[in-house]
Amino acid sequence: MKVEKDIAKLQKAIDDSSYIVAFTGAGISTGAGIPDFRGKSGIYSTGAYDPYKTFDYQYFLKDPSYFFKFAKDFAGLYEKIIPTEGHKFLARLEEVGKLQALITQNIDGLHQIAGSKNVIEVHGGFTKAHCIDCWKEYGFPWIKKEILKIGELKCTCSGWVKPDIVFFGEAVTGMEEAVQYTRKADLFLVMGSSLTVQPASLLPFLTNGKVVVINMGDVMLPEEKIYLKFDSDIDSIIKKLNV
Ligand SMILES: [Zn+2]
């Protein structure tokens, strides 16, 4: 079967690599119960939250209640989510010294929960926050407790506290670092991203290494750039690999 052959090819590519860089998107976390913002049942499509009121920095300054409603629901998810096989696989790849960097578009912090250390969150993360007035930093236990208890995040200085998610109108983070790692990669693993959200989606164009894609559905990458493509859920491929 073609897929078995491809899995053997992927196994060999991993075995032969010493500088793997991974790039992950929503698809790696949907299995953990985190909604894909842009997917069919995602929060952008279902209209549960108006993205331009929820994730716009200027709007947040005017009326943060939209964002805090989302934040409360999102924080509530952590009662039941655990990292998927995909998250754990990438943590293992790092532990054995093959994976050098993990670039993610996800804000859920599941890679760190799974044990990954060198994680570059290009869209920021929900598990750390700062006061927008005095810049005091807050950690996840506080964020979770406060938002679930009182429905908003307020600093001791009375300024609003905003989780470090990149909002519309804010620059993505860590791109320079991401580019440096990508240029050195001998294997660039795309997992759970259709590569539609720029600028991070342009990273696969910067590597001379093999590009392997595991994503359900199409990806915005020319075929000649792809060494292997699995149009499949991540866990079913991962569990056939030995790392
Ligand atoms: Zn403050």
Side-chain angles (χ1 to χ4, degrees):
M1 248 175 84
K2 184 174 180 295
V3 66
E4 302 301 332
K5 239 188 212 166
D6 282 353
I7 286 169
K9 266 173 92 177
L10 173 55
Q11 181 71 55
K12 181 161 188 337
I14 291 170
D15 293 344
D16 291 349
S17 299
S18 58
Y19 208 102
I20 303 176
V21 173
F23 179 81
T24 66
I28 196 168
S29 287
T30 43
I34 301 273
D36 175 359
F37 287 13
R38 291 179 171 76
K40 276 193 194 73
S41 57
I43 63 170
Y44 288 172
S45 331
T46 57
Y49 311 91
D50 177 342
Y52 295 98
K53 288 180 176 165
T54 309
F55 303 109
D56 182 274
Y57 192 68
Q58 292 309 318
Y59 204 92
F60 179 81
L61 298 178
K62 206 160 64 183
D63 177 6
S65 67
Y66 287 87
F67 174 73
F68 285 140
K69 180 182 181 299
F70 159 79
K72 188 175 180 180
D73 293 347
F74 200 75
L77 294 174
Y78 285 87
E79 298 300 326
K80 47 181 191 251
I81 55 169
I82 49 163
T84 64
E85 289 307 311
H87 293 99
K88 291 186 230 165
F89 168 77
L90 292 174
R92 264 198 322 276
L93 266 188
E94 183 182 40
E95 207 182 298
V96 300
K98 286 196 173 280
L99 186 86
Q100 307 305 328
L102 203 178
I103 305 157
T104 187
Q105 294 178 304
N106 299 340
I107 59 162
D108 54 46
L110 280 174
H111 285 302
Q112 294 90 328
I113 294 171
S116 287
K117 303 275 186 298
N118 193 18
V119 182
I120 303 169
E121 297 176 302
V122 288
H123 293 167
F126 186 74
T127 53
K128 235 184 8 180
H130 284 88
C131 169
I132 60 170
D133 289 335
C134 76
W135 209 240
K136 184 177 173 182
E137 186 175 307
Y138 290 88
F140 192 53
W142 181 88
I143 297 171
K144 201 172 128 185
K145 189 175 84 202
E146 289 293 299
I147 195 76
L148 291 176
K149 196 170 74 186
I150 59 172
E152 55 184 34
L153 301 173
K154 211 158 209 186
C155 182
T156 45
C157 82
S158 89
W160 294 118
V161 175
K162 175 186 164 298
D164 298 351
I165 300 173
V166 173
F167 276 23
F168 297 123
E170 288 188 303
V172 295
T173 54
M175 269 308 277
E176 247 173 75
E177 215 188 334
V179 166
Q180 281 173 15
Y181 280 112
T182 302
R183 285 195 197 282
K184 288 190 239 166
D186 53 13
L187 176 59
F188 191 86
L189 268 182
V190 177
M191 291 167 69
S193 171
S194 54
L195 299 170
T196 44
V197 183
Q198 287 189 21
S201 60
L202 299 174
L203 287 171
F205 290 94
L206 302 178
T207 180
N208 292 317
K210 296 180 175 112
V211 177
V212 174
V213 178
I214 309 176
N215 184 62
M216 199 96 89
D218 290 339
V219 281
M220 295 281 282
L221 199 61
E223 239 163 66
E224 62 268 24
K225 200 64 213 154
I226 303 176
Y227 177 69
L228 283 172
K229 160 101 206 298
F230 299 90
D231 191 344
S232 155
D233 75 286
I234 294 166
D235 288 2
S236 69
I237 302 298
I238 291 315
K239 66 181 183 202
K240 291 178 183 144
L241 296 169
N242 289 313
V243 174

